[in-house]
Amino acid sequence: MGSRWIFLAQALIVLFAGVQALPAPLLEARQSTSTLSTAQVAAFKPFTFYASTAACNPSTTLTWTCGANCNANPTFQPVASGGDGDRTQFWFVGYDPTLKTVIVSHQGTDTSKIMPILTDVNIIQNPLNATLFPGISSSVEVHSGFAGTQSRSAPDVLAAVQTALSRHSANHVTLTGHSLGAAIALLDAVFLPLHLPSTVTFKSVTYGMPRVGNQAFADYVDAHVTLSHVNNKKDPVPILPGRFLGFHHPSGEVHITDANGWVACAGQDNTSDLCTIGAVPNIFEGEDSDHSGPYDGVRMGC
Ligand SMILES: *[C@@H]1O[C@H](CO)[C@@H](O)[C@H](O)[C@H]1NC(C)=O
Ligand SMILES: *[C@@H]1O[C@H](CO)[C@@H](O)[C@H](O)[C@H]1NC(C)=O
């Protein structure tokens, strides 16, 4: 009897030692891998619909009559909409009383239209326009095309956000967008706080976002912007423009794996197989149709 207990105790010690003796990298990988819970994934859904809704004509987002996309966020109260869908992407601003936040959303573009822009090796990076972005170091550089697009809607978006904040006595703003609209939303996330009281807080949730700027830009975003950028499976857009061209992602990637898990990818440009860079090592391994989703069942577009 006694010896059996001793045997059991010894076996437990061996078992426990076995756990302790797991190679350090394995233990680290296990601890730092972070798959979002069902509730955490579900919390993205209203923003996913808002990002999708920006593809709808401004005349229908201003009246919130765009159909399924609008109906998915039924309590939304529009304030302003704009853009021509050509030189200036569509956008809308309003208030969500359920989430208690002002929403700013920017239209994206088709994979076929954005890929040529992103793979152009003559891409120019420029410092941010000092009028729109006062006080930001000239070492912070961004894609000149994205900056130009953002600058065209910026004054109207700022005015609409100011109206929405005062009309609804709000103090929180959420920026969203898909694809090119994600890049504009990220630039808005840097731009808007420079012109609004410091009591206003911000969050950005973007989908299928390309790289927007250089290392100094990514570091500025990490220091000043609360960001989640969601990437779907083998979408090639988030790996562009290439890091070898001097473009870098800020932190905050959430990658949807082939198994439909939502993984929080720590750090900037995380190279793990669970994150975009690992899943899409080059554009030939990308899957263009993954760009539009589905993101937890929601496909981008109106
Ligand atoms: C990259 O993300 C994976 C998945 O969440 C995580 O396990 C890993 O620690 C991250 N790598 C770095 C360098 O942060
Ligand atoms: C910077 O933005 C302002 C305001 O939109 C504009 O008037 C000005 O032309 C821009 N400057 C440059 C160098 O693009």
Side-chain angles (χ1 to χ4, degrees):
M1 198 62 178
S3 67
R4 246 205 282 171
W5 281 113
I6 289 166
F7 175 72
L8 229 176
Q10 275 172 343
L12 277 174
I13 287 164
V14 169
L15 253 177
F16 192 68
V19 170
Q20 294 277 311
L22 260 187
L26 246 178
L27 264 179
E28 268 164 35
R30 232 173 35 177
Q31 284 160 355
S32 56
T33 295
S34 140
T35 303
L36 303 195
S37 68
T38 309
Q40 285 172 319
V41 172
F44 279 84
K45 188 141 290 174
F47 306 114
T48 317
F49 275 112
Y50 280 127
S52 182
T53 303
C56 303
N57 195 285
S59 65
T60 65
T61 54
L62 191 57
T63 48
W64 214 241
T65 53
C66 68
N69 270 298
C70 288
N71 296 342
N73 284 305
T75 63
F76 183 77
Q77 296 172 311
V79 168
S81 300
D84 57 12
D86 179 20
R87 255 177 71 74
T88 308
Q89 298 297 102
F90 295 153
W91 56 268
F92 67 83
V93 171
Y95 183 66
D96 185 320
T98 311
L99 301 169
K100 296 187 171 48
T101 182
V102 171
I103 300 284
V104 181
S105 185
H106 288 278
Q107 178 194 14
T109 184
D110 296 339
T111 320
S112 62
K113 284 190 198 150
I114 198 168
M115 287 298 277
I117 300 171
L118 297 175
T119 52
D120 179 355
V121 291
N122 296 318
I123 290 170
I124 298 171
Q125 284 185 348
N126 280 333
L128 291 162
N129 177 323
T131 310
L132 294 174
F133 297 86
I136 296 202
S137 161
S138 60
S139 66
V140 171
E141 294 196 333
V142 300
H143 188 291
S144 63
F146 296 162
T149 307
Q150 188 266 348
S151 72
R152 285 190 281 279
S153 57
D156 289 348
V157 167
L158 172 59
V161 169
Q162 282 165 329
T163 302
L165 286 168
S166 68
R167 185 180 297 171
H168 297 283
S169 306
N171 59 9
H172 190 262
V173 180
T174 306
L175 298 127
T176 189
H178 165 245
S179 185
L180 175 56
I184 300 170
L186 184 59
L187 288 167
D188 267 5
V190 173
F191 158 71
L192 289 172
L194 302 173
H195 303 273
L196 292 167
S198 59
T199 47
V200 180
T201 55
F202 298 84
K203 176 173 101 172
S204 301
V205 186
T206 66
Y207 300 84
M209 184 170 75
R211 294 195 181 96
V212 175
N214 65 359
Q215 184 65 62
F217 176 74
D219 293 344
Y220 183 92
V221 170
D222 277 7
H224 296 92
V225 175
T226 304
L227 170 71
S228 295
H229 51 117
V230 184
N231 296 331
N232 187 42
K233 299 183 179 172
K234 293 198 187 316
D235 178 4
V237 167
I239 67 161
L240 298 169
R243 285 180 289 172
F244 66 96
L245 291 173
F247 283 85
H248 299 274
H249 268 306
S251 303
E253 181 189 357
V254 175
H255 183 241
I256 306 174
T257 65
D258 280 337
N260 290 314
W262 288 45
V263 175
C265 297
Q268 300 175 343
D269 284 306
N270 185 317
T271 55
S272 156
D273 282 352
L274 293 167
C275 306
T276 293
I277 294 178
V280 196
N282 58 67
I283 54 171
F284 304 107
E285 296 187 44
E287 185 57 67
D288 285 8
S289 63
D290 285 344
H291 186 49
S292 67
Y295 299 86
D296 190 27
V298 181
R299 229 175 232 294
M300 295 295 162
C302 197

